[in-house]
Amino acid sequence: MPLAAWKTSVTVAAIVERDGRYLLVEEHTPEGLMLNNPAGHLDPGESPIEGAIRETLEESGRRFAPLALVGVYLSRAQRALPPSDVTFLRLAFTGTVSEPLPGHALDPEIARTLWLTPEELRACLQRHRSPLLMRCVDDHHAGRRYPLELVVSDPTVYLPLLDP
């Protein structure tokens, strides 16, 4: 692939543990029904922390309050059909979530939310949307926490988008 064509796709994720279980979403994908942390692409004009809060609400119907950064991860997903080769840069945050907000509709591709232990997650690796799901849970379980101040968004992030 020519260097000019390569770019990363920035994603954010919420790693939320409660009583030894992790909040997950079950989502419809081209590969079938898969598991993931509440996660998604960073939108223009938002910081990674704002993106994690938004994605968690959209995918789980819960308000997310980030407390720390779990890690920054780089992965690559190659698929034959439809053909794609994408490199992902994921910022994973941990924090707390509210109970589900009454009447809040989940993103259309989300089938449901569920809480699983690390052992239950390890038993179904073939259903993980990304290899980063287990890595983020393992890092969280190992106690990896970094201050939110490590994630800095320059004010230019909030400038209006230019028309092409």
Side-chain angles (χ1 to χ4, degrees):
M1 178 183 326
L3 185 57
W6 182 83
K7 66 176 189 169
T8 58
S9 184
V10 178
T11 62
V12 291
I15 315 304
V16 179
E17 181 267 335
R18 187 182 285 169
D19 300 323
R21 296 182 175 276
Y22 285 85
L23 175 63
L24 301 169
V25 296
E26 190 172 48
E27 56 188 327
H28 297 281
T29 75
E31 292 78 31
L33 208 51
M34 305 294 274
L35 296 171
N36 201 1
N37 313 105
H41 295 273
L42 186 64
D43 282 351
E46 71 182 357
S47 72
I49 292 169
E50 292 164 341
I53 292 168
R54 176 188 51 76
E55 282 291 345
T56 305
L57 179 61
E58 291 175 359
E59 293 196 352
S60 75
R62 298 164 184 266
R63 293 192 200 286
F64 177 55
L67 298 173
L69 178 71
V70 174
V72 178
Y73 306 87
L74 193 65
S75 69
R76 187 172 172 195
Q78 296 178 303
R79 292 185 174 81
L81 293 172
S84 67
D85 188 348
V86 181
T87 299
F88 294 96
L89 178 69
R90 176 188 265 204
L91 290 89
F93 298 93
T94 188
T96 61
V97 290
S98 69
E99 291 303 314
L101 300 177
H104 191 278
L106 303 181
D107 277 354
E109 67 273 6
I110 303 299
R112 65 181 176 140
T113 62
L114 60 161
W115 295 84
L116 295 177
T117 66
E119 295 75 26
E120 291 168 329
L121 269 173
R122 228 175 302 289
C124 63
L125 293 174
Q126 73 284 1
R127 293 198 55 225
H128 293 195
R129 177 135 192 217
S130 163
L132 296 181
L133 187 164
M134 197 74 240
R135 176 62 193 260
C136 290
V137 167
D138 286 341
D139 285 353
H140 179 275
H141 193 70
R144 290 191 175 81
R145 309 285 190 281
Y146 304 97
L148 291 176
E149 291 79 16
L150 285 177
V151 183
V152 176
S153 294
D154 187 80
T156 57
V157 166
Y158 302 104
L159 293 175
L161 296 175
L162 298 176
D163 288 327

